[in-house]
Amino acid sequence: MAGAPSKTLMDFFQQPAAKRLKRVSSPPLSSSLNDAATITTDQKRRMEFNKALAISKRNLKLCSDKVSQSIAAGSGYVKLEELLVEETWSEVLSGELQKPYAKKLGEFLESEICNGSTPIYPPQHLIFNALNTTPFDRVKAVIIGQDPYHGPGQAMGLSFSVPDGVKVPSSLVNIYKELQKDLGCSIPSNGNLERWAMQGVLLLNAVLTVRHHQANSHAKKGWEQFTDAVIGAISQNRSGVVFLLWGNYAQAKSRLIDESKHHILKSAHPSGLSANRGFFGCRHFSRTNEILEKMGISSIDWQL
């Protein structure tokens, strides 16, 4: 023991005292974890939205550039497969736009756009806007429309949606009324539904183009087969997606959906002619969120 340093009474108490001081200065563990969890949830929602916004902007620019380059080259038409730029959809629909029906559809559209005297809506760069804005792996809900609005400046490639500054169509007015009754959402001054699309709501029309002031003018040209393939791909390769089918036309698509894997909500169409026959009071927006939350999927913020 000779040569070992001698310890005083203070030596024995110094180290534990320092440890005790450190413990007292730290916040309670459970409180720290709860705060971190709350921040993470909020941050995650914002991060998801910002990522979706970036993807949408990138895809929109890619399509716009392709159309501009085509016009500059003297053609003015871009092949359909070149306008579907969202990689997740290109993969899951691989080969679909090379099928004979799609080739015929492309030839029809090229003739309509390049040789026809009637404007075609939406503009080419927005034809696949629904798919280019809502990636396949992010789809949480699907709202199916029939064909694009056929007035100037209305169609933007998202079902029921119109760009900022365009008068809100009557069907969308009724959608907003139901949202207000269902979730207490304030009624927006515009009809732009991009915020829904970026949160995973696929706003899909069955027909993706139309002639100026001629409703259903591009029906039965091949679009229905393509958008049926879109619905079928979701049904087969995803699970837990909520399909909002408003009106008989949309409800006919239920044949494409595996109800053992997905959720189908049906009601009357929100148009002025039928909204009072079952659309009002359907509570599809709150029901969608309840379904998503039960599956542990983040809900949709329907407020615009």
Side-chain angles (χ1 to χ4, degrees), residues 29-166:
L29 183 60
S30 60
S31 173
S32 299
L33 288 175
N34 287 338
D35 289 346
T38 302
I39 292 168
T40 302
T41 302
D42 292 342
Q43 284 181 334
K44 185 179 178 183
R45 186 183 284 272
R46 284 197 299 270
M47 286 168 64
E48 282 182 356
F49 184 85
N50 289 336
K51 181 181 177 183
L53 179 61
I55 289 170
S56 176
K57 284 183 175 179
R58 178 202 67 189
N59 289 345
L60 182 63
K61 186 177 188 306
L62 282 171
C63 291
S64 296
D65 288 349
K66 287 183 179 187
V67 173
S68 296
Q69 289 162 12
S70 176
I71 292 170
S75 167
Y77 175 75
V78 181
K79 291 180 179 180
L80 289 177
E81 56 265 35
E82 294 178 23
L83 292 173
L84 183 58
V85 296
E86 171 48 44
E87 296 95 336
T88 58
W89 283 111
S90 295
E91 183 177 346
V92 79
L93 296 171
S94 178
E96 191 66 32
L97 288 170
Q98 279 73 48
K99 290 181 178 178
Y101 85 87
K103 292 293 185 185
K104 276 190 172 182
L105 171 63
E107 291 165 6
F108 166 74
L109 284 175
E110 183 174 10
S111 175
E112 289 278 281
I113 291 167
C114 298
N115 304 326
S117 57
T118 305
I120 302 304
Y121 306 131
Q124 279 188 86
H125 68 286
L126 295 176
I127 287 176
F128 290 123
N129 198 21
L131 302 179
N132 288 335
T133 302
T134 310
F136 173 75
D137 55 353
R138 288 179 53 87
V139 175
K140 298 177 183 179
V142 182
I143 297 177
I144 297 175
Q146 193 160 350
D147 72 334
Y149 296 120
H150 50 75
Q154 287 184 305
M156 57 184 295
L158 305 175
S159 61
F160 294 99
S161 181
V162 292
D164 293 327
V166 174

Side-chain angles (χ1 to χ4, degrees), residues 138-262:
R138 288 179 53 87
V139 175
K140 298 177 183 179
V142 182
I143 297 177
I144 297 175
Q146 193 160 350
D147 72 334
Y149 296 120
H150 50 75
Q154 287 184 305
M156 57 184 295
L158 305 175
S159 61
F160 294 99
S161 181
V162 292
D164 293 327
V166 174
K167 183 182 177 183
V168 180
S170 60
S171 290
L172 188 50
V173 168
N174 288 334
I175 290 170
Y176 287 166
K177 286 178 181 177
E178 175 59 22
L179 258 175
Q180 188 178 49
K181 289 179 183 176
D182 186 10
L183 290 171
C185 294
S186 59
I187 294 180
S189 59
N190 67 79
N192 190 333
L193 305 181
E194 284 176 319
R195 281 188 63 84
W196 293 359
M198 289 176 201
Q199 292 180 77
V201 181
L202 180 64
L203 299 168
L204 182 69
N205 279 318
V207 175
L208 299 186
T209 54
V210 70
R211 285 190 201 124
H212 171 76
H213 284 171
Q214 296 179 44
N216 295 315
S217 49
H218 284 187
K220 299 180 181 177
K221 301 295 184 182
W223 277 130
E224 294 91 341
Q225 188 169 340
F226 175 77
T227 54
D228 280 0
V230 170
I231 296 168
I234 297 170
S235 177
Q236 184 176 347
N237 299 296
R238 293 287 311 279
S239 61
V241 174
V242 184
F243 289 83
L244 289 74
L245 307 182
W246 300 335
N248 293 333
Y249 185 89
Q251 287 170 25
K253 303 295 181 182
S254 61
R255 74 185 190 281
L256 305 168
I257 304 162
D258 184 345
E259 291 192 61
S260 70
K261 294 169 60 181
H262 301 281

